[in-house]
Amino acid sequence: MYVVRTLIMAGGIGERLWPVSVKKRPKQFHKFGSSKTMIEETIERMEKVTDEIIIITTREQFPLMQYYLPLFPGENVIFEPMRRNTAPAIALGSTRFSPDDIMVVVPADHVIRDEESFLKTLNKAIKYAESNDSLVTIGITPTHPYTGYGYIERGNAVDDNEEVYSVKKFHEKPDYETAQHYVQSGRFLWNSGIFVWKKSVFDLELSKNFPDLFSAISEISKRPEDIEKIYESLPKISIDYGLMERSSKVATVPASFYWNDIGSWDAVYDLLIKDKNGNAVEGEFSLKDVKNCLLINHTQKKLAVSGIEGFILVATSEGTLVCRRGESQDIKEIIK
């Protein structure tokens, strides 16, 4: 029987959720439509399906972890010397796993509802990874033609129950017309960024498809005192680009639980409960003739808003954001 262990990626800043998500308190330490922070919810979910949890984050975020997760064991935290995107982070995190471990990789900052369905899907992926030399990813069955997610094009079924499929291709975030085509075809899934594999299979596929990263991580294991110097030389590259798109041993398990990566303020609007005018409101506002807006006020002052439709307004002590709904993906460009 394999030991199933989870790596939670918790080092991001969530720049697209400025001015709520900032360096000193990134989005995984915030609550979105819940009484608990996203990282707390992620840990609670994963405790139900895995034997041990490892978190990879940055040293600057460790005090936040101690504050929000006082009972989480410090020895199960790995520090990334600097941000290098998900491929180096996962590879570094994998050094804490044994070759025979089943490794489950999840982001700390996703909202998942219908936990029973989530656990059932994850157990399918774990079972498949136990008996097959595959890199398994969870694909979310799309509910609408969303342009903010990457997509997975599935191939044929690779198990008898037709619950696991080969992956034909990964696709970048599409335009609306392409997203419509993807959804109508029934062969495309949202790329959730949740992965399951045997640690030994991950090592083999990384050594074949991204040998530079594999050898750098091997060097870190041999010379931990040089971690900063070695890690700094690594490229900033996602696990999708760095490994999943290059490997021929990728499978996907389609899922139908509610999933939201909170990657933009538009995603937050989708998540929150709306009033009779289609507004999602948090904080103190005085409204007149306002429809279909996301309105968040984390300041002590009341905000008065009149005569707008389809806007996002977010105010905190860090700053104020105003943009049209549907355009919040571009925030990173305007706050530099």
Side-chain angles (χ1 to χ4, degrees), residues 306-326:
S306 175
I308 62 169
E309 182 170 356
F311 271 79
I312 292 166
L313 191 163
V314 184
T316 74
S317 58
E318 294 288 331
T320 301
L321 168 76
V322 181
C323 68
R324 288 189 184 279
R325 272 185 47 218

Side-chain angles (χ1 to χ4, degrees), residues 19-313:
V20 167
S21 180
V22 291
K23 265 187 183 178
K24 61 186 177 190
R25 192 182 165 202
K27 68 172 180 170
Q28 56 269 27
F29 298 103
H30 288 274
K31 302 166 187 179
F32 290 97
S34 168
S35 61
K36 292 177 180 171
T37 62
M38 288 195 287
I39 192 167
E40 287 173 285
E41 291 198 323
T42 302
I43 289 170
E44 284 183 13
R45 268 195 306 275
M46 299 316 297
E47 281 176 338
K48 291 170 185 163
V49 74
T50 55
D51 301 296
E52 188 181 22
I53 293 172
I54 307 286
I55 293 178
I56 184 159
T57 186
T58 59
R59 283 195 188 279
E60 61 195 355
Q61 289 187 22
F62 191 55
L64 283 167
M65 279 192 55
Q66 290 176 306
Y67 179 78
Y68 287 102
L69 309 167
L71 300 178
F72 192 83
E75 63 271 19
N76 281 25
V77 179
I78 302 172
F79 297 117
E80 211 184 352
M82 62 278 299
R83 291 184 183 87
R84 284 294 180 266
N85 211 321
T86 54
I90 291 169
L92 180 62
S94 76
T95 60
R96 290 285 291 270
F97 290 70
S98 301
D100 288 340
D101 286 349
I102 296 291
M103 186 173 165
V104 180
V105 181
V106 296
D109 54 4
H110 290 183
V111 170
I112 288 170
R113 292 176 181 162
D114 187 4
E115 194 175 84
E116 193 181 330
S117 176
F118 168 75
L119 296 175
K120 195 175 167 188
T121 302
L122 201 55
N123 276 318
K124 272 184 214 166
I126 289 166
K127 194 176 170 189
Y128 188 79
E130 276 180 350
S131 49
N132 294 273
D133 290 347
S134 282
L135 304 173
V136 186
T137 180
I138 306 294
I140 310 295
T141 304
T143 53
H144 57 287
Y146 190 57
T147 58
Y149 297 144
Y151 284 72
I152 299 166
E153 184 179 358
R154 64 172 177 79
N156 299 323
V158 291
D159 75 332
D160 296 337
N161 300 320
E162 298 208 355
E163 292 181 313
V164 185
Y165 294 82
S166 64
V167 169
K168 204 169 178 184
K169 197 178 176 190
F170 287 87
H171 295 263
E172 292 306 300
K173 295 171 183 177
D175 58 32
Y176 186 75
E177 202 176 309
T178 307
Q180 278 185 310
H181 163 70
Y182 286 173
V183 174
Q184 285 161 6
S185 79
R187 291 181 293 106
F188 288 78
L189 305 162
W190 287 335
N191 187 354
S192 72
I194 299 170
F195 307 104
V196 183
W197 46 58
K198 281 199 285 276
K199 161 67 161 68
S200 57
V201 173
F202 173 73
D203 284 348
L204 185 62
E205 289 303 293
L206 196 66
S207 66
K208 283 197 304 194
N209 296 289
F210 201 164
D212 290 355
L213 177 56
F214 180 76
S215 59
I217 297 300
S218 302
E219 280 302 304
I220 288 170
S221 297
K222 289 178 207 158
R223 296 185 285 122
E225 68 279 5
D226 292 335
I227 183 169
E228 297 229 354
K229 190 173 146 192
I230 298 168
Y231 206 79
E232 194 175 18
S233 69
L234 295 175
K236 292 180 180 178
I237 188 166
S238 72
I239 195 72
D240 295 315
Y241 278 132
L243 178 61
M244 305 303 282
E245 292 181 14
R246 300 176 186 182
S247 173
S248 59
K249 293 193 172 182
V250 184
T252 188
V253 181
S256 55
F257 52 82
Y258 178 90
W259 168 85
N260 189 325
D261 79 342
I262 315 290
S264 68
W265 284 115
D266 285 291
V268 175
Y269 177 79
D270 291 341
L271 176 74
L272 298 179
I273 294 165
K274 324 295 186 286
D275 65 18
K276 64 181 191 297
N277 294 312
N279 298 315
V281 184
E282 271 187 13
E284 202 173 349
F285 284 91
S286 181
L287 305 178
K288 184 190 174 195
D289 193 25
V290 175
K291 293 177 182 173
N292 305 321
C293 290
L294 173 64
L295 304 164
I296 294 178
N297 180 8
H298 287 183
T299 73
Q300 301 303 309
K301 297 175 181 177
K302 180 191 274 192
L303 296 181
V305 185
S306 175
I308 62 169
E309 182 170 356
F311 271 79
I312 292 166
L313 191 163

